[in-house]
Amino acid sequence: MRIGVLTGGGDCPGLNAVIRAAVRKGTKEYGHEFVGFRYGWKGPIEGITQPLDWDTVEGILDQGGTILHSSRTNPYKIEGGVEAIKKNMAALGVDALIAIGGEDTLGVATKLTADGINCVGVPKTIDNDLSGTDYTFGFDTAVNIATEAIDRLWTTAESHDRCIVVEIMGRHAGWMTLHAGIAGGANATLIPEVEFDMQKVADFVKDRMDAGKSTIVAVSEGAVAKGGEMQLKDGEVDAFGHVKLGGVGDWVAEEIKKRTGSETRAIILGHLQRGGTPSAFDRVLATRLGLEAADAANEGDFGKMMALQGTNVVRIPIHEGTDVLKTVPVERYQDAEVFFGA
């Protein structure tokens, strides 16, 4: 069997670990051949490939990003896109695809499976918002980066008796902000799952400042104030219909300053959260998922996504990971002394 591998959507620590594990097991244990498709779904559409063998994946376990590169290409938004994938796979002798990505990449894999293309999915996102799996690789690394940022900001906030607002990625799910906020000891944590009352946040900050205490506010890029609107970078949408979020950190900081008179700063972590080497947890999880993906492809168990449930790696239909956005069950965190600004 010849198996194609691609990585789609935003980059994420741990992608290379998945590629490495799938190729090593698939070649050594099953004798399969692998080919890498570059730039996400653009690769199989345009036939852009690179070799994938034991030597290619040597030494990439701890590398961030993806050696296959990525894009947000959507075959279903390109005329003849699906037919081009079928044609190029046939010409290259590729029997199946291992698609590593988030809801968009795996959503395409679900449709392609229905259209007769053999696909296996591996869930990837720093947002941890895919259903059917308890954790996605990349999440742990991103949370550690955001937590370290909050740790560092505490020293400057306390030195200047200042409020600092930290904007954290996550789109419409607050997992990253919640975990980093708890781990970093943020005083207020604003997430998309709870519309926050801006006046309550400002009053909370003012009470702390009046008591001589500095304040850290962690806010998710998709968080929305009551009666307000989601903050957008611009009006552009990508091939999957997503708008670019961003700017809520600056808005919250300005509102705090305006309502309290206290000097307030905003920090937008942005793509820092995606970069760098994966954590030990993400390396192990990504490796386990890659090994299971190689098994699934070898067994012809297509249309399945590898998932972590408890401590076990299992296979579920790909669509179960993408049909419903996995958001924070806020009620579970009330005892964690999290102030959601509501």
Side-chain angles (χ1 to χ4, degrees), residues 283-295:
R283 296 182 200 190
V284 173
L285 176 57
T287 297
R288 294 181 67 195
L289 294 173
L291 295 174
E292 189 68 22
D295 290 342

Side-chain angles (χ1 to χ4, degrees), residues 211-230:
K213 299 177 181 178
S214 55
T215 304
I216 298 289
V217 177
V219 57
S220 175
E221 62 182 356
V224 179
K226 291 180 179 179
E229 297 180 349
M230 190 168 294

Side-chain angles (χ1 to χ4, degrees), residues 310-341:
T311 58
N312 299 317
V313 173
V314 300
R315 304 174 196 171
I316 63 174
I318 300 176
H319 71 84
E320 290 185 9
T322 60
D323 283 348
V324 179
L325 187 75
K326 184 178 72 178
T327 55
V328 174
V330 177
E331 64 280 358
R332 295 184 188 175
Y333 293 88
Q334 297 295 345
D335 294 335
E337 297 184 351
V338 180
F339 172 59
F340 290 114

Side-chain angles (χ1 to χ4, degrees), residues 3 5 14-32 34 52-54 56-62 67-68 98 100 122 137 282-298 306 313:
I3 302 170
V5 182
L15 285 167
N16 287 324
V18 177
I19 297 168
R20 171 182 176 272
V23 171
R24 285 165 66 101
K25 185 167 191 179
T27 55
K28 184 176 182 179
E29 187 163 329
Y30 301 126
H32 298 317
F34 286 78
L52 266 190
D53 54 26
W54 193 277
T56 307
V57 301
E58 187 76 22
I60 67 171
L61 173 65
D62 61 345
I67 63 169
L68 296 178
I98 295 178
I100 312 168
V122 178
F137 69 87
D282 281 339
R283 296 182 200 190
V284 173
L285 176 57
T287 297
R288 294 181 67 195
L289 294 173
L291 295 174
E292 189 68 22
D295 290 342
N298 178 68
M306 310 306 104
V313 173

Side-chain angles (χ1 to χ4, degrees), residues 6-80:
L6 62 86
T7 54
D11 65 295
C12 176
L15 285 167
N16 287 324
V18 177
I19 297 168
R20 171 182 176 272
V23 171
R24 285 165 66 101
K25 185 167 191 179
T27 55
K28 184 176 182 179
E29 187 163 329
Y30 301 126
H32 298 317
E33 293 183 17
F34 286 78
V35 59
F37 284 107
R38 294 167 64 86
Y39 309 113
W41 291 113
K42 182 177 181 180
I45 292 174
E46 299 183 13
I48 309 171
T49 66
Q50 73 175 62
L52 266 190
D53 54 26
W54 193 277
D55 289 336
T56 307
V57 301
E58 187 76 22
I60 67 171
L61 173 65
D62 61 345
Q63 291 182 20
T66 165
I67 63 169
L68 296 178
H69 301 266
S70 189
S71 75
R72 296 190 183 278
T73 303
N74 185 350
Y76 289 91
K77 293 293 184 180
I78 298 174
E79 185 175 352

Side-chain angles (χ1 to χ4, degrees), residues 161-165 205 209 214-217 256 263-265:
D161 299 319
R162 183 175 290 163
C163 175
I164 297 182
V165 179
V205 172
M209 302 303 279
S214 55
T215 304
I216 298 289
V217 177
I256 290 174
E263 189 172 3
T264 306
R265 294 283 191 271

Side-chain angles (χ1 to χ4, degrees), residues 3 19 64 101 145 166-167 194 198-199 239 259 275 294 339:
I3 302 170
I19 297 168
I145 292 169
V166 186
E167 182 180 313
V194 182
M198 190 63 242
Q199 189 57 52
R259 298 179 191 221
F339 172 59

